[in-house]
mmCIF file with all atom_site columns, all heavy atoms in Angstrom:
data_model
loop_
_atom_site.group_PDB
_atom_site.id
_atom_site.type_symbol
_atom_site.label_atom_id
_atom_site.label_alt_id
_atom_site.label_comp_id
_atom_site.label_asym_id
_atom_site.label_entity_id
_atom_site.label_seq_id
_atom_site.pdbx_PDB_ins_code
_atom_site.Cartn_x
_atom_site.Cartn_y
_atom_site.Cartn_z
_atom_site.occupancy
_atom_site.B_iso_or_equiv
_atom_site.pdbx_formal_charge
_atom_site.auth_seq_id
_atom_site.auth_comp_id
_atom_site.auth_asym_id
_atom_site.auth_atom_id
_atom_site.pdbx_PDB_model_num
ATOM 1   N N   . GLU A 1 114 ? 22.709 196.133 -4.301  1.00 95.00 ? 114 GLU A N   1
ATOM 2   C CA  . GLU A 1 114 ? 22.899 197.425 -5.027  1.00 95.00 ? 114 GLU A CA  1
ATOM 3   C C   . GLU A 1 114 ? 21.614 197.901 -5.657  1.00 95.00 ? 114 GLU A C   1
ATOM 4   O O   . GLU A 1 114 ? 21.358 199.084 -5.678  1.00 95.00 ? 114 GLU A O   1
ATOM 5   C CB  . GLU A 1 114 ? 24.015 197.216 -6.116  1.00 95.00 ? 114 GLU A CB  1
ATOM 6   C CG  . GLU A 1 114 ? 25.391 197.015 -5.590  1.00 95.00 ? 114 GLU A CG  1
ATOM 7   C CD  . GLU A 1 114 ? 25.570 195.582 -5.085  1.00 95.00 ? 114 GLU A CD  1
ATOM 8   O OE1 . GLU A 1 114 ? 25.010 194.618 -5.719  1.00 95.00 ? 114 GLU A OE1 1
ATOM 9   O OE2 . GLU A 1 114 ? 26.261 195.382 -4.131  1.00 95.00 ? 114 GLU A OE2 1
ATOM 10  N N   . ASP A 1 115 ? 20.861 196.956 -6.199  1.00 95.00 ? 115 ASP A N   1
ATOM 11  C CA  . ASP A 1 115 ? 19.518 197.344 -6.824  1.00 95.00 ? 115 ASP A CA  1
ATOM 12  C C   . ASP A 1 115 ? 18.656 198.021 -5.775  1.00 95.00 ? 115 ASP A C   1
ATOM 13  O O   . ASP A 1 115 ? 18.033 198.990 -6.000  1.00 95.00 ? 115 ASP A O   1
ATOM 14  C CB  . ASP A 1 115 ? 18.831 196.116 -7.380  1.00 95.00 ? 115 ASP A CB  1
ATOM 15  C CG  . ASP A 1 115 ? 19.567 195.502 -8.588  1.00 95.00 ? 115 ASP A CG  1
ATOM 16  O OD1 . ASP A 1 115 ? 20.372 196.202 -9.192  1.00 95.00 ? 115 ASP A OD1 1
ATOM 17  O OD2 . ASP A 1 115 ? 19.330 194.308 -8.828  1.00 95.00 ? 115 ASP A OD2 1
ATOM 18  N N   . LEU A 1 116 ? 18.622 197.318 -4.607  1.00 95.00 ? 116 LEU A N   1
ATOM 19  C CA  . LEU A 1 116 ? 17.786 197.863 -3.501  1.00 95.00 ? 116 LEU A CA  1
ATOM 20  C C   . LEU A 1 116 ? 18.261 199.264 -3.063  1.00 95.00 ? 116 LEU A C   1
ATOM 21  O O   . LEU A 1 116 ? 17.463 200.103 -2.811  1.00 95.00 ? 116 LEU A O   1
ATOM 22  C CB  . LEU A 1 116 ? 17.768 196.894 -2.325  1.00 95.00 ? 116 LEU A CB  1
ATOM 23  C CG  . LEU A 1 116 ? 17.075 195.561 -2.658  1.00 95.00 ? 116 LEU A CG  1
ATOM 24  C CD1 . LEU A 1 116 ? 17.428 194.495 -1.558  1.00 95.00 ? 116 LEU A CD1 1
ATOM 25  C CD2 . LEU A 1 116 ? 15.515 195.705 -2.697  1.00 95.00 ? 116 LEU A CD2 1
ATOM 26  N N   . GLU A 1 117 ? 19.530 199.357 -3.004  1.00 95.00 ? 117 GLU A N   1
ATOM 27  C CA  . GLU A 1 117 ? 20.094 200.629 -2.607  1.00 95.00 ? 117 GLU A CA  1
ATOM 28  C C   . GLU A 1 117 ? 19.713 201.752 -3.596  1.00 95.00 ? 117 GLU A C   1
ATOM 29  O O   . GLU A 1 117 ? 19.381 202.844 -3.234  1.00 95.00 ? 117 GLU A O   1
ATOM 30  C CB  . GLU A 1 117 ? 21.649 200.522 -2.572  1.00 95.00 ? 117 GLU A CB  1
ATOM 31  C CG  . GLU A 1 117 ? 22.372 201.584 -1.897  1.00 95.00 ? 117 GLU A CG  1
ATOM 32  C CD  . GLU A 1 117 ? 22.356 201.457 -0.361  1.00 95.00 ? 117 GLU A CD  1
ATOM 33  O OE1 . GLU A 1 117 ? 22.734 200.363 0.169   1.00 95.00 ? 117 GLU A OE1 1
ATOM 34  O OE2 . GLU A 1 117 ? 21.844 202.345 0.297   1.00 95.00 ? 117 GLU A OE2 1
ATOM 35  N N   . TYR A 1 118 ? 19.713 201.344 -4.845  1.00 96.00 ? 118 TYR A N   1
ATOM 36  C CA  . TYR A 1 118 ? 19.344 202.214 -5.954  1.00 96.00 ? 118 TYR A CA  1
ATOM 37  C C   . TYR A 1 118 ? 17.872 202.704 -5.790  1.00 96.00 ? 118 TYR A C   1
ATOM 38  O O   . TYR A 1 118 ? 17.537 203.856 -5.957  1.00 96.00 ? 118 TYR A O   1
ATOM 39  C CB  . TYR A 1 118 ? 19.617 201.565 -7.259  1.00 96.00 ? 118 TYR A CB  1
ATOM 40  C CG  . TYR A 1 118 ? 19.189 202.378 -8.418  1.00 96.00 ? 118 TYR A CG  1
ATOM 41  C CD1 . TYR A 1 118 ? 19.695 203.671 -8.597  1.00 96.00 ? 118 TYR A CD1 1
ATOM 42  C CD2 . TYR A 1 118 ? 18.280 201.863 -9.387  1.00 96.00 ? 118 TYR A CD2 1
ATOM 43  C CE1 . TYR A 1 118 ? 19.310 204.460 -9.682  1.00 96.00 ? 118 TYR A CE1 1
ATOM 44  C CE2 . TYR A 1 118 ? 17.930 202.645 -10.460 1.00 96.00 ? 118 TYR A CE2 1
ATOM 45  C CZ  . TYR A 1 118 ? 18.400 203.923 -10.620 1.00 96.00 ? 118 TYR A CZ  1
ATOM 46  O OH  . TYR A 1 118 ? 18.010 204.675 -11.669 1.00 96.00 ? 118 TYR A OH  1
ATOM 47  N N   . VAL A 1 119 ? 17.000 201.717 -5.483  1.00 96.00 ? 119 VAL A N   1
ATOM 48  C CA  . VAL A 1 119 ? 15.620 202.054 -5.317  1.00 96.00 ? 119 VAL A CA  1
ATOM 49  C C   . VAL A 1 119 ? 15.469 202.995 -4.131  1.00 96.00 ? 119 VAL A C   1
ATOM 50  O O   . VAL A 1 119 ? 14.738 204.023 -4.212  1.00 96.00 ? 119 VAL A O   1
ATOM 51  C CB  . VAL A 1 119 ? 14.757 200.728 -5.114  1.00 96.00 ? 119 VAL A CB  1
ATOM 52  C CG1 . VAL A 1 119 ? 13.340 201.084 -4.638  1.00 96.00 ? 119 VAL A CG1 1
ATOM 53  C CG2 . VAL A 1 119 ? 14.723 199.900 -6.338  1.00 96.00 ? 119 VAL A CG2 1
ATOM 54  N N   . ARG A 1 120 ? 16.172 202.715 -3.062  1.00 96.00 ? 120 ARG A N   1
ATOM 55  C CA  . ARG A 1 120 ? 16.062 203.609 -1.888  1.00 96.00 ? 120 ARG A CA  1
ATOM 56  C C   . ARG A 1 120 ? 16.530 205.026 -2.246  1.00 96.00 ? 120 ARG A C   1
ATOM 57  O O   . ARG A 1 120 ? 15.932 205.996 -1.837  1.00 96.00 ? 120 ARG A O   1
ATOM 58  C CB  . ARG A 1 120 ? 16.895 203.013 -0.742  1.00 96.00 ? 120 ARG A CB  1
ATOM 59  C CG  . ARG A 1 120 ? 16.866 203.911 0.512   1.00 96.00 ? 120 ARG A CG  1
ATOM 60  C CD  . ARG A 1 120 ? 17.534 203.293 1.686   1.00 96.00 ? 120 ARG A CD  1
ATOM 61  N NE  . ARG A 1 120 ? 17.614 204.275 2.822   1.00 96.00 ? 120 ARG A NE  1
ATOM 62  C CZ  . ARG A 1 120 ? 18.088 204.002 4.023   1.00 96.00 ? 120 ARG A CZ  1
ATOM 63  N NH1 . ARG A 1 120 ? 18.537 202.764 4.308   1.00 96.00 ? 120 ARG A NH1 1
ATOM 64  N NH2 . ARG A 1 120 ? 18.163 204.912 4.939   1.00 96.00 ? 120 ARG A NH2 1
ATOM 65  N N   . ASP A 1 121 ? 17.645 205.084 -2.932  1.00 96.00 ? 121 ASP A N   1
ATOM 66  C CA  . ASP A 1 121 ? 18.186 206.407 -3.297  1.00 96.00 ? 121 ASP A CA  1
ATOM 67  C C   . ASP A 1 121 ? 17.223 207.173 -4.196  1.00 96.00 ? 121 ASP A C   1
ATOM 68  O O   . ASP A 1 121 ? 17.235 208.434 -4.152  1.00 96.00 ? 121 ASP A O   1
ATOM 69  C CB  . ASP A 1 121 ? 19.522 206.242 -4.057  1.00 96.00 ? 121 ASP A CB  1
ATOM 70  C CG  . ASP A 1 121 ? 20.644 205.911 -3.114  1.00 96.00 ? 121 ASP A CG  1
ATOM 71  O OD1 . ASP A 1 121 ? 20.432 205.923 -1.877  1.00 96.00 ? 121 ASP A OD1 1
ATOM 72  O OD2 . ASP A 1 121 ? 21.718 205.477 -3.608  1.00 96.00 ? 121 ASP A OD2 1
ATOM 73  N N   . SER A 1 122 ? 16.379 206.467 -4.892  1.00 96.00 ? 122 SER A N   1
ATOM 74  C CA  . SER A 1 122 ? 15.480 207.179 -5.792  1.00 96.00 ? 122 SER A CA  1
ATOM 75  C C   . SER A 1 122 ? 14.336 207.820 -5.040  1.00 96.00 ? 122 SER A C   1
ATOM 76  O O   . SER A 1 122 ? 13.612 208.697 -5.559  1.00 96.00 ? 122 SER A O   1
ATOM 77  C CB  . SER A 1 122 ? 14.884 206.206 -6.845  1.00 96.00 ? 122 SER A CB  1
ATOM 78  O OG  . SER A 1 122 ? 13.881 205.376 -6.229  1.00 96.00 ? 122 SER A OG  1
ATOM 79  N N   . CYS A 1 123 ? 14.103 207.357 -3.800  1.00 97.00 ? 123 CYS A N   1
ATOM 80  C CA  . CYS A 1 123 ? 12.927 207.819 -3.041  1.00 97.00 ? 123 CYS A CA  1
ATOM 81  C C   . CYS A 1 123 ? 13.244 209.224 -2.425  1.00 97.00 ? 123 CYS A C   1
ATOM 82  O O   . CYS A 1 123 ? 14.203 209.393 -1.674  1.00 97.00 ? 123 CYS A O   1
ATOM 83  C CB  . CYS A 1 123 ? 12.559 206.860 -1.958  1.00 97.00 ? 123 CYS A CB  1
ATOM 84  S SG  . CYS A 1 123 ? 11.212 207.479 -0.890  1.00 97.00 ? 123 CYS A SG  1
ATOM 85  N N   . PRO A 1 124 ? 12.420 210.183 -2.730  1.00 97.00 ? 124 PRO A N   1
ATOM 86  C CA  . PRO A 1 124 ? 12.706 211.565 -2.186  1.00 97.00 ? 124 PRO A CA  1
ATOM 87  C C   . PRO A 1 124 ? 12.408 211.632 -0.686  1.00 97.00 ? 124 PRO A C   1
ATOM 88  O O   . PRO A 1 124 ? 12.635 212.684 -0.066  1.00 97.00 ? 124 PRO A O   1
ATOM 89  C CB  . PRO A 1 124 ? 11.743 212.446 -3.007  1.00 97.00 ? 124 PRO A CB  1
ATOM 90  C CG  . PRO A 1 124 ? 10.742 211.575 -3.628  1.00 97.00 ? 124 PRO A CG  1
ATOM 91  C CD  . PRO A 1 124 ? 11.311 210.155 -3.694  1.00 97.00 ? 124 PRO A CD  1
ATOM 92  N N   . TYR A 1 125 ? 11.806 210.577 -0.149  1.00 97.00 ? 125 TYR A N   1
ATOM 93  C CA  . TYR A 1 125 ? 11.438 210.558 1.338   1.00 97.00 ? 125 TYR A CA  1
ATOM 94  C C   . TYR A 1 125 ? 12.231 209.520 2.092   1.00 97.00 ? 125 TYR A C   1
ATOM 95  O O   . TYR A 1 125 ? 11.898 209.313 3.262   1.00 97.00 ? 125 TYR A O   1
ATOM 96  C CB  . TYR A 1 125 ? 9.918  210.402 1.442   1.00 97.00 ? 125 TYR A CB  1
ATOM 97  C CG  . TYR A 1 125 ? 9.133  211.400 0.636   1.00 97.00 ? 125 TYR A CG  1
ATOM 98  C CD1 . TYR A 1 125 ? 8.570  211.071 -0.581  1.00 97.00 ? 125 TYR A CD1 1
ATOM 99  C CD2 . TYR A 1 125 ? 8.974  212.719 1.087   1.00 97.00 ? 125 TYR A CD2 1
ATOM 100 C CE1 . TYR A 1 125 ? 7.874  211.983 -1.340  1.00 97.00 ? 125 TYR A CE1 1
ATOM 101 C CE2 . TYR A 1 125 ? 8.324  213.649 0.308   1.00 97.00 ? 125 TYR A CE2 1
ATOM 102 C CZ  . TYR A 1 125 ? 7.739  213.283 -0.874  1.00 97.00 ? 125 TYR A CZ  1
ATOM 103 O OH  . TYR A 1 125 ? 7.087  214.257 -1.620  1.00 97.00 ? 125 TYR A OH  1
ATOM 104 N N   . ASP A 1 126 ? 13.128 208.864 1.431   1.00 97.00 ? 126 ASP A N   1
ATOM 105 C CA  . ASP A 1 126 ? 14.034 207.882 2.105   1.00 97.00 ? 126 ASP A CA  1
ATOM 106 C C   . ASP A 1 126 ? 13.225 206.789 2.773   1.00 97.00 ? 126 ASP A C   1
ATOM 107 O O   . ASP A 1 126 ? 13.400 206.498 4.000   1.00 97.00 ? 126 ASP A O   1
ATOM 108 C CB  . ASP A 1 126 ? 14.958 208.579 3.103   1.00 97.00 ? 126 ASP A CB  1
ATOM 109 C CG  . ASP A 1 126 ? 15.990 207.613 3.678   1.00 97.00 ? 126 ASP A CG  1
ATOM 110 O OD1 . ASP A 1 126 ? 16.409 206.675 2.893   1.00 97.00 ? 126 ASP A OD1 1
ATOM 111 O OD2 . ASP A 1 126 ? 16.376 207.745 4.792   1.00 97.00 ? 126 ASP A OD2 1
ATOM 112 N N   . ILE A 1 127 ? 12.286 206.147 2.110   1.00 97.00 ? 127 ILE A N   1
ATOM 113 C CA  . ILE A 1 127 ? 11.363 205.178 2.734   1.00 97.00 ? 127 ILE A CA  1
ATOM 114 C C   . ILE A 1 127 ? 11.876 203.672 2.568   1.00 97.00 ? 127 ILE A C   1
ATOM 115 O O   . ILE A 1 127 ? 11.896 202.981 3.544   1.00 97.00 ? 127 ILE A O   1
ATOM 116 C CB  . ILE A 1 127 ? 9.964  205.331 2.130   1.00 97.00 ? 127 ILE A CB  1
ATOM 117 C CG1 . ILE A 1 127 ? 9.376  206.718 2.490   1.00 97.00 ? 127 ILE A CG1 1
ATOM 118 C CG2 . ILE A 1 127 ? 9.043  204.197 2.619   1.00 97.00 ? 127 ILE A CG2 1
ATOM 119 C CD1 . ILE A 1 127 ? 9.240  206.979 3.971   1.00 97.00 ? 127 ILE A CD1 1
ATOM 120 N N   . PRO A 1 128 ? 12.137 203.276 1.342   1.00 97.00 ? 128 PRO A N   1
ATOM 121 C CA  . PRO A 1 128 ? 12.351 201.759 1.186   1.00 97.00 ? 128 PRO A CA  1
ATOM 122 C C   . PRO A 1 128 ? 13.480 201.191 2.053   1.00 97.00 ? 128 PRO A C   1
ATOM 123 O O   . PRO A 1 128 ? 14.495 201.794 2.240   1.00 97.00 ? 128 PRO A O   1
ATOM 124 C CB  . PRO A 1 128 ? 12.724 201.624 -0.288  1.00 97.00 ? 128 PRO A CB  1
ATOM 125 C CG  . PRO A 1 128 ? 12.169 202.814 -0.938  1.00 97.00 ? 128 PRO A CG  1
ATOM 126 C CD  . PRO A 1 128 ? 12.347 203.902 0.049   1.00 97.00 ? 128 PRO A CD  1
ATOM 127 N N   . ARG A 1 129 ? 13.201 200.066 2.731   1.00 97.00 ? 129 ARG A N   1
ATOM 128 C CA  . ARG A 1 129 ? 14.222 199.331 3.503   1.00 97.00 ? 129 ARG A CA  1
ATOM 129 C C   . ARG A 1 129 ? 14.082 197.871 3.173   1.00 97.00 ? 129 ARG A C   1
ATOM 130 O O   . ARG A 1 129 ? 13.103 197.409 2.549   1.00 97.00 ? 129 ARG A O   1
ATOM 131 C CB  . ARG A 1 129 ? 13.867 199.520 5.012   1.00 97.00 ? 129 ARG A CB  1
ATOM 132 C CG  . ARG A 1 129 ? 13.908 200.912 5.510   1.00 97.00 ? 129 ARG A CG  1
ATOM 133 C CD  . ARG A 1 129 ? 15.332 201.511 5.599   1.00 97.00 ? 129 ARG A CD  1
ATOM 134 N NE  . ARG A 1 129 ? 15.364 202.738 6.327   1.00 97.00 ? 129 ARG A NE  1
ATOM 135 C CZ  . ARG A 1 129 ? 15.054 203.955 5.840   1.00 97.00 ? 129 ARG A CZ  1
ATOM 136 N NH1 . ARG A 1 129 ? 14.723 204.053 4.548   1.00 97.00 ? 129 ARG A NH1 1
ATOM 137 N NH2 . ARG A 1 129 ? 15.098 205.036 6.576   1.00 97.00 ? 129 ARG A NH2 1
ATOM 138 N N   . TRP A 1 130 ? 15.097 197.059 3.523   1.00 95.00 ? 130 TRP A N   1
ATOM 139 C CA  . TRP A 1 130 ? 15.018 195.677 3.261   1.00 95.00 ? 130 TRP A CA  1
ATOM 140 C C   . TRP A 1 130 ? 15.726 194.941 4.468   1.00 95.00 ? 130 TRP A C   1
ATOM 141 O O   . TRP A 1 130 ? 16.501 195.513 5.137   1.00 95.00 ? 130 TRP A O   1
ATOM 142 C CB  . TRP A 1 130 ? 15.569 195.270 1.953   1.00 95.00 ? 130 TRP A CB  1
ATOM 143 C CG  . TRP A 1 130 ? 17.043 195.752 1.779   1.00 95.00 ? 130 TRP A CG  1
ATOM 144 C CD1 . TRP A 1 130 ? 18.138 195.117 2.115   1.00 95.00 ? 130 TRP A CD1 1
ATOM 145 C CD2 . TRP A 1 130 ? 17.441 197.050 1.300   1.00 95.00 ? 130 TRP A CD2 1
ATOM 146 N NE1 . TRP A 1 130 ? 19.211 195.846 1.825   1.00 95.00 ? 130 TRP A NE1 1
ATOM 147 C CE2 . TRP A 1 130 ? 18.827 197.064 1.325   1.00 95.00 ? 130 TRP A CE2 1
ATOM 148 C CE3 . TRP A 1 130 ? 16.711 198.151 0.848   1.00 95.00 ? 130 TRP A CE3 1
ATOM 149 C CZ2 . TRP A 1 130 ? 19.561 198.172 0.955   1.00 95.00 ? 130 TRP A CZ2 1
ATOM 150 C CZ3 . TRP A 1 130 ? 17.459 199.255 0.449   1.00 95.00 ? 130 TRP A CZ3 1
ATOM 151 C CH2 . TRP A 1 130 ? 18.875 199.234 0.493   1.00 95.00 ? 130 TRP A CH2 1
#
Side-chain angles (χ1 to χ4, degrees):
Chain A
E114 292 77 35
D115 294 337
L116 291 164
E117 195 80 56
Y118 176 55
V119 171
R120 178 173 172 176
D121 284 348
S122 77
C123 175
Y125 305 102
D126 189 33
I127 298 298
R129 300 287 191 277
W130 56 92

